[in-house]
Amino acid sequence: MTMCLLCHREIAAPLTLWQLINFQPITEQIVCTRCRQAFSAIDPQLGCQSCGRLSDQKKCSDCERWSSEIEFSNRACYTYNTAMKAYMSQYKFNGDYRLRTVFQLEIQREIQASKCDVVVPIPLHPDTLAARGFNQVEGLIGELPMLRALTTISATKAQHQSAKNRKQRLTTAQPFKLAVDSMQLYRKNVLIVDDVYTTGRTIRHAALLLKKSRCNNRQRTDVSTRIITLMI
């Protein structure tokens, strides 16, 4: 018997007749069925083609307002419901690093399906990284290759993103700078990975910087910037 990482109840691993007959290993579950079902997955066919939010339009009204800045495609995996809020509080803010495994395989499958050249995680401010002890986005990516192409500009962090209201988020200045030689990105299809898409300001700052760094110049239509976020 194993314990659910979220509710800490025992998980009874189901053993099928097919597994017994074919001597198949039992896959250990880390989250119980009840907790897993509390998360609300987003069907990519029902989401906005830009931000990935559930929408009855191909491009939601929020993305229409952003359209003049940069075009990209975000695969948002889940909605930010009560269960996801509790998960992020325990993983991100309480620092339970074990919880990276809850969605790690799913994020890795999305990354592999994207067929990107470079995976770029959104970085943490050094103050946040020191306090938390890990980058929650890199935890979701796991052992897959990634390029830490971005770093934060400010030496000190004035305010956490989670403490800002929508207006403050939208008016946030570019927080990133390039941390690698731009030739490592030149003509590469880049996949940016983040945990939460809120207003889209952070993602757009990252995408614009990478584009200006010649990874995605306007003369090449075969080079793209794509995004994967755990939730929106």
Side-chain angles (χ1 to χ4, degrees):
M1 300 288 281
T2 57
M3 306 294 286
C4 173
L5 288 179
L6 299 178
C7 69
H8 309 296
R9 294 186 178 92
E10 288 186 345
I11 302 174
L15 185 63
T16 66
L17 181 61
W18 184 86
Q19 286 176 309
L20 287 171
I21 294 175
N22 293 278
F23 299 101
Q24 294 298 308
I26 300 172
T27 302
E28 185 178 11
Q29 291 181 292
I30 57 176
V31 176
C32 69
T33 300
R34 188 172 77 167
C35 285
R36 182 68 71 178
Q37 290 177 343
F39 298 111
S40 180
I42 296 176
D43 183 340
Q45 301 301 316
L46 302 178
C48 167
Q49 293 179 356
S50 182
C51 71
R53 194 187 312 274
L54 284 173
S55 173
D56 55 4
Q57 303 292 326
K58 289 185 177 181
K59 181 175 284 191
C60 69
S61 58
D62 191 49
C63 287
E64 286 290 353
R65 292 193 291 270
W66 282 110
S67 60
S68 61
E69 187 164 320
I70 188 170
E71 291 289 339
F72 62 73
S73 173
N74 175 43
R75 168 65 174 113
C77 299
Y78 291 88
T79 59
Y80 191 58
N81 64 2
T82 302
M84 189 60 78
K85 184 177 181 179
Y87 165 79
M88 287 305 293
S89 178
Q90 191 175 344
Y91 173 44
K92 187 173 177 177
F93 301 115
N94 293 343
D96 191 344
Y97 191 58
R98 299 173 303 163
L99 297 189
R100 73 194 187 282
T101 58
V102 174
F103 296 105
Q104 192 178 77
L105 287 177
E106 188 169 353
I107 293 296
Q108 289 177 341
R109 284 196 294 267
E110 292 289 344
I111 290 172
Q112 291 166 338
S114 75
K115 301 187 185 300
C116 62
D117 299 316
V118 178
V119 177
V120 176
I122 291 294
L124 292 184
H125 188 277
D127 291 349
T128 303
L129 183 59
R132 187 173 298 158
F134 62 92
N135 181 326
Q136 73 278 358
V137 176
E138 293 186 9
L140 294 172
I141 296 171
E143 71 280 1
L144 294 185
M146 69 182 88
L147 180 66
R148 296 181 178 92
L150 301 173
T151 188
T152 56
I153 294 173
S154 177
T156 58
K157 189 163 187 176
Q159 187 179 21
H160 288 282
Q161 279 291 98
S162 58
K164 294 179 181 179
N165 59 35
R166 180 176 176 81
K167 183 178 180 180
Q168 289 172 320
R169 288 172 183 264
L170 289 172
T171 56
T172 301
Q174 172 63 269
F176 306 123
K177 61 183 178 181
L178 204 62
V180 298
D181 189 308
S182 62
M183 290 308 295
Q184 291 185 255
L185 299 165
Y186 183 59
R187 295 186 177 183
K188 297 293 178 66
N189 290 314
V190 175
L191 178 69
I192 302 171
V193 182
D194 201 3
D195 54 352
V196 185
Y197 182 111
T198 307
T199 63
R201 178 69 278 177
T202 299
I203 287 293
R204 285 176 169 82
H205 274 317
L208 278 168
L209 178 57
L210 293 172
K211 188 178 184 70
K212 290 176 181 177
S213 301
R214 300 177 69 201
C215 63
N216 296 301
N217 60 67
R218 294 182 184 277
Q219 286 71 41
R220 294 186 61 86
T221 58
D222 60 324
V223 178
S224 65
T225 299
R226 295 187 62 193
I227 320 290
I228 290 177
T229 53
L230 176 60
M231 71 201 80
I232 190 166

